[in-house]
Amino acid sequence: MCGVKCITFALWINIHSVITETNGFKVHLTPLKSVNHVGADLELTCRVNACPAFPQDPVLAKIKSLIANQTQTLNCTVHNVYPLERIVIEWLRGNETLYVDEPQIPYDSVQSHSYVYNYTPSVSDLGKNLSCKATLKNPEIGLEKTRISNAEYGPGTITISSKNPSVKLGGHLEITCHADGNPKPTIFWWKNETGPAQNKSQNEKLIINNASWSQAGWYHCGANNTVGSKHMSVKVIVLGPPNIPKIQLSHTGDPKEGENITILCSSDDESVDLTLYRQSQNAASGALNETVVLLNIPSVQITDGGIYICEAKNDFGTERSTINITVEAQLKEEKKPDLPIAILPAAILPAAGSVSLLTIAGLLIRYCRKKATSNSGDITLS
């Protein structure tokens, strides 16, 4: 008798043979026919041929982003596959096959293997799934098993429905933003204003109703998912009559003759044409889209005074601001006539440098009177 162990082993071989024959597998025992004595050791070797293993879906490495016309390296790994040489890897974008990889190297054991593909997406690929499809083919037993996985990638190419959006004052504007990514990115809008950015929307559309001047400016479309994030900016222009421009003088108060002055004309609207000129004289114009025009007047004269006009103009109207500039005359010191110092006696001259003009005048008068008296005593009457 073989004993319990022998019976158990024989039962297990029979059951396994039934299972493998049902699935078309082949079990090889070595030695095929074994005769041995009771109580002696027996060693049997069992080898199974054509037993495919494909236990899980292929794994794709996460991709930071897919951007149109930029090459990206893709990586797909299949784990614990047998036989590996029967695996066919197919890269797909949507339903379109991009590339097929068919390894031919035989392996005798269960293997894991990674497949690399350099992919350059096109604009037409945006919004389509990027997939790695692995198929295990074994014609000997009529088996073909397929597993497929979609790649996860962060937002890449962002498209906005209008590159230069504009809206008339009081009008309506809609801008749509779309970003390619998997999982599908969440789209949100915000506008740069004084202080922190403020969220304006949480869907693909930015909607502006009854447009006002304050709604003009830079808006940002943001897209994010579990892999990454990206944003794109667009400038919204509100069209209407220009705002009243500003005009100012570089000086505080009225300038004086001979000073250098600058007159500044400015607007907060880049879409207007700015002109700065003196009333009834030639104009100084700024280039298109300039927001400041300067007029420099070196050594200003009284004749440069007058009314200066800052004018902002667009297709919807014209607005002006004015400034009246008055130039003060520069005060000049009058030159005093020289005193007749030569007629003063020598006794008076040394003191002239140390006394005031009034004192000198008094001394001069006294001297003249004294001279007149002495002269009158010399007259002889007949």
Side-chain angles (χ1 to χ4, degrees):
M1 298 295 291
C2 293
V4 176
K5 291 184 179 180
C6 182
I7 297 173
T8 303
F9 180 77
L11 181 60
W12 162 247
I13 292 297
N14 289 333
I15 295 173
H16 193 274
S17 298
V18 172
I19 295 175
T20 55
E21 287 175 2
T22 303
N23 290 276
F25 301 150
K26 296 179 180 179
V27 178
H28 297 273
L29 295 177
T30 305
L32 184 60
K33 295 181 179 180
S34 176
V35 178
N36 209 341
H37 297 286
V38 176
D41 294 335
L42 173 64
E43 181 178 335
L44 296 177
T45 301
C46 175
R47 183 166 60 89
V48 181
N49 289 341
C51 182
F54 193 7
Q56 64 186 68
D57 294 340
V59 178
L60 284 88
K62 291 184 178 181
I63 306 165
K64 182 177 180 181
S65 63
L66 289 177
I67 301 175
N69 304 317
Q70 291 188 15
T71 301
Q72 175 73 51
T73 299
L74 309 180
N75 188 294
C76 178
T77 302
V78 290
H79 291 284
N80 303 321
V81 176
Y82 179 84
L84 186 61
E85 67 269 20
R86 300 295 177 86
I87 282 284
V88 176
I89 298 296
E90 187 176 2
W91 296 94
L92 302 171
R93 189 73 196 247
N95 295 322
E96 179 185 357
T97 299
L98 300 174
Y99 181 72
V100 177
D101 194 345
E102 299 185 52
Q104 299 297 326
I105 302 175
Y107 292 91
D108 292 333
S109 60
V110 173
Q111 295 285 329
S112 297
H113 191 72
S114 295
Y115 302 85
V116 176
Y117 171 56
N118 291 323
Y119 169 54
T120 304
S122 64
V123 176
S124 61
D125 290 335
L126 301 181
K128 300 176 182 177
N129 283 333
L130 177 63
S131 309
C132 174
K133 179 181 178 181
T135 302
L136 179 62
K137 298 181 178 182
N138 198 326
E140 294 180 3
I141 59 174
L143 174 70
E144 181 172 314
K145 189 172 184 180
T146 297
R147 291 181 179 271
I148 187 169
S149 294
N150 294 327
E152 290 188 4
Y153 55 97
T157 301
I158 295 181
T159 56
I160 293 181
S161 58
S162 179
K163 293 183 179 179
N164 299 299
S166 61
V167 58
K168 290 184 178 180
L169 193 64
H172 176 84
L173 176 67
E174 291 187 6
I175 310 174
T176 302
C177 177
H178 176 74
D180 184 30
N182 185 43
K184 183 179 179 181
T186 299
I187 302 295
F188 55 98
W189 287 89
W190 75 94
K191 181 179 184 289
N192 273 358
E193 297 173 338
T194 303
Q198 297 183 9
N199 188 15
K200 294 295 181 183
S201 173
Q202 290 187 347
N203 52 48
E204 292 191 352
K205 285 189 177 182
L206 171 68
I207 300 176
I208 296 177
N209 291 312
N210 192 23
S212 62
W213 294 118
S214 63
Q215 290 175 306
W218 284 99
Y219 287 81
H220 308 277
C221 167
N224 61 28
N225 61 13
T226 55
V227 183
S229 63
K230 195 171 185 178
H231 78 274
M232 184 176 182
S233 302
V234 62
K235 187 175 184 180
V236 173
I237 299 174
V238 177
L239 303 175
N243 291 332
I244 297 175
K246 297 178 181 178
I247 186 169
Q248 60 190 96
L249 183 64
S250 57
H251 275 57
T252 301
D254 294 332
K256 296 180 180 180
E257 276 187 297
E259 293 182 335
N260 298 329
I261 67 170
T262 299
I263 305 172
L264 182 144
C265 169
S266 63
S267 172
D268 56 4
D269 186 354
E270 294 182 2
S271 64
V272 300
D273 293 327
L274 276 181
T275 306
L276 174 60
Y277 58 95
R278 185 179 175 186
Q279 197 172 40
S280 304
Q281 290 192 4
N282 294 334
S285 299
L288 183 63
N289 295 332
E290 281 191 356
T291 58
V292 176
V293 176
L294 300 176
L295 177 60
N296 297 310
I297 304 177
S299 187
V300 68
Q301 302 299 312
I302 293 178
T303 55
D304 292 322
I307 296 176
Y308 288 80
I309 301 170
C310 174
E311 181 180 276
K313 182 179 181 181
N314 64 14
D315 294 337
F316 300 91
T318 302
E319 292 290 348
R320 299 179 180 89
S321 294
T322 62
I323 189 172
N324 189 4
I325 298 177
T326 301
V327 181
E328 293 183 359
Q330 188 71 266
L331 295 177
K332 297 181 180 179
E333 294 184 3
E334 296 183 2
K335 187 176 181 181
K336 301 296 187 295
D338 295 334
L339 293 175
I341 298 177
I343 64 175
L344 295 177
I348 299 176
L349 288 176
S354 59
V355 296
S356 67
L357 183 60
L358 184 60
T359 304
I360 295 174
L363 292 173
L364 180 59
I365 293 171
R366 185 186 301 176
Y367 174 79
C368 291
R369 286 179 179 175
K370 184 176 180 180
K371 187 68 176 176
T373 304
S374 62
N375 289 340
S376 62
D378 297 334
I379 297 174
T380 301
L381 297 176
S382 56

